[in-house]
Amino acid sequence: MKFGLPALVSPAWFSLACSSLACLSSAAFAAGSEGLTTPVKLPAYDAARPACKAPAGLNRTLVFVQDNRREFMQGAGRGLEAAARARGLAYSVAFANNDPALMIKQVGGIASDKTGAMVVAPIDPPSLAPALKKVIAAGAYVGAIVPPPATTVLNAPQYLTGKVLAEAAANYIRTRLGGKAKVVLLTHDSLQFLAPRFTAMRDTLRTMPGVTIVADISPSTVDKEGGYRTMKTIMLAQPNVDVVLGADTVVLGALAALREAGKARADQFLGGIDGEQEAVVEIKRGGSPYKASISLASPIFGYAMGQHAADWLDGKSIPQAMDILPRALTSSNIADYERDTANPGAVYADPARRASYLKMYGNICFDTRDNYINFPWSSETK
């Protein structure tokens, strides 16, 4: 059956809808539930929601279906593994190596081998969705890093994330570059879930009359090699740039290209998103062009998703969605960040510290799994 919410639905109605909407039977799921397909504003997560039935016949196993080996995802894996160890779950990783067909095969195996929980970083969300729905239907926990469908969707407020980075760059341009700068944006506009961060960068920079965006382009691959190749091409037309913004992994590649060409300068502002370790190392170096990274603290959200996986298998009610809150890492606050990401379990156990990184929404458990998110969820949706 096609399952969705009315287009005009209030958060209050949604939070009280268990009797008529969220508490559908597992038999209804067997008929082919599509989950929540119409965007809806989720209420705050209610940690006091009563437990429900625990899934039966599933192994206490957590699998991370990882798209590639970039540091951001490696950090998520470290958090997942730590949570699995703390909760007595077996843990393994399935590397897809940027191969969408391989990822579909890996998730298909999970759907048939009684795995109790998985977290996935989708490569091609539309083609992967049917396989993920089968895992959800089998009663397993499915956590997704950004694209649905999933039991729990992890996202960041993407516009705010881009705005935090752009404002850091804008402040640097005003105070250190005399209000003038040639800017390169290395975007991911083809990924609809990430596009708002680059809209925020453009919105912020266009308010500065002395700023010229000399390149606004998406690298062919979201990794260091993609950033390196793209920056090499940009320098053919613009050999001298002042600011480069994008994801850490591609900006690090751009930095390598600038250094190779002898065009890296201490007064440049290179900034990225993800808080990757190599970016942190650059920020800590004296005289590096790399000035800031917007942390999305992947070990901390990975640990939280691992805890939610274990809670799900115990029959508890867990969040349907979770924000990882952006924060600008600079040389002045790196030490606190490194302390927290090195021990995500301590952050998760401290409500105040946890709330500075994570915000949780909605409730779902095994009995209400028909209520899984199957739309591009964002806390920024009006």
Side-chain angles (χ1 to χ4, degrees):
M1 71 176 182
K2 182 75 172 178
F3 181 76
L5 283 174
L8 299 176
V9 60
S10 72
W13 180 92
F14 180 75
S15 65
L16 298 173
C18 183
S19 60
S20 61
L21 182 65
C23 296
L24 297 180
S25 68
S26 58
F29 203 116
S33 171
E34 289 294 314
L36 301 179
T37 58
T38 301
V40 62
K41 185 177 178 65
L42 297 175
Y45 168 62
D46 179 5
R49 186 71 63 86
C52 66
K53 184 170 60 180
L58 298 179
N59 299 318
R60 289 186 65 81
T61 300
L62 172 60
V63 178
F64 182 25
V65 184
Q66 189 172 334
D67 55 355
N68 59 42
R69 295 179 185 270
R70 69 188 188 274
E71 172 59 30
F72 181 70
M73 289 303 171
Q74 299 285 63
R78 289 194 296 273
L80 286 166
E81 185 174 15
R85 186 167 56 249
R87 297 293 296 275
L89 304 183
Y91 177 76
S92 63
V93 178
F95 284 107
N97 294 318
N98 291 321
D99 184 339
L102 175 58
M103 181 172 278
I104 292 169
K105 183 178 179 180
Q106 290 166 335
V107 173
I110 289 170
S112 60
D113 70 1
K114 304 298 183 182
T115 294
M118 63 169 284
V119 171
V120 62
I123 298 167
D124 182 52
S127 67
L128 186 64
L132 291 176
K133 291 176 187 177
K134 289 180 181 178
V135 179
I136 296 169
Y141 167 86
V142 174
I145 300 175
V146 185
T151 309
T152 300
V153 170
L154 181 283
N155 202 351
Q158 296 292 346
Y159 189 91
L160 177 61
T161 299
K163 183 176 171 61
V164 171
L165 178 59
E167 287 182 342
N171 183 62
Y172 187 90
I173 293 167
R174 282 191 292 266
T175 60
R176 300 291 298 278
L177 299 179
K180 297 180 180 181
K182 293 182 178 180
V183 177
V184 170
L185 299 183
L186 299 176
T187 71
H188 306 145
D189 284 336
S190 60
L191 301 176
Q192 68 174 110
F193 305 100
L194 301 182
R197 62 173 60 169
F198 303 106
T199 300
M201 293 179 196
R202 298 181 191 106
D203 288 349
T204 300
L205 294 171
R206 73 165 55 102
T207 66
M208 305 181 69
V211 169
T212 302
I213 298 176
V214 297
D216 187 335
I217 187 170
S218 296
S220 57
T221 56
V222 184
D223 54 18
K224 286 180 66 176
E225 181 62 26
Y228 172 84
R229 291 195 306 265
T230 303
M231 196 68 218
K232 292 267 287 185
T233 301
I234 291 169
M235 285 192 293
L236 295 175
Q238 296 288 340
N240 297 298
V241 300
D242 303 300
V243 176
V244 182
L245 306 178
D248 276 332
T249 189
V250 295
V251 177
L252 287 164
L255 175 58
L258 287 166
R259 283 178 169 156
E260 182 182 273
K263 295 296 183 180
R265 311 189 315 266
D267 67 341
Q268 288 169 317
F269 184 102
L270 272 63
I273 295 169
D274 287 338
E276 292 202 2
Q277 185 57 38
E278 189 175 344
V280 170
V281 170
E282 285 289 343
I283 292 169
K284 292 167 69 174
R285 287 178 54 182
S288 173
Y290 221 103
K291 298 300 192 298
S293 178
I294 306 307
S295 163
L296 298 178
S298 60
I300 293 172
F301 78 64
Y303 190 91
M305 296 180 94
Q307 287 284 339
H308 296 157
D311 286 344
W312 175 271
L313 293 172
D314 290 342
K316 296 179 181 178
S317 183
I318 66 170
Q320 288 172 289
M322 184 165 59
D323 265 336
I324 180 70
L325 304 175
R327 59 175 63 191
L329 300 181
T330 64
S331 57
S332 64
N333 63 14
I334 287 287
D336 288 343
Y337 170 77
E338 291 183 317
R339 176 203 64 193
D340 287 351
T341 54
N343 189 2
V347 175
Y348 192 81
D350 181 334
R353 285 169 68 190
R354 182 176 64 206
S356 73
Y357 286 98
L358 302 171
K359 190 171 182 180
M360 304 176 193
Y361 304 83
N363 280 78
I364 191 169
C365 65
F366 175 76
D367 288 343
T368 64
R369 69 191 187 280
D370 290 68
N371 209 25
Y372 70 91
I373 289 180
N374 195 13
F375 65 87
W377 177 83
S378 169
S379 62
E380 293 177 319
T381 300
K382 302 300 183 183

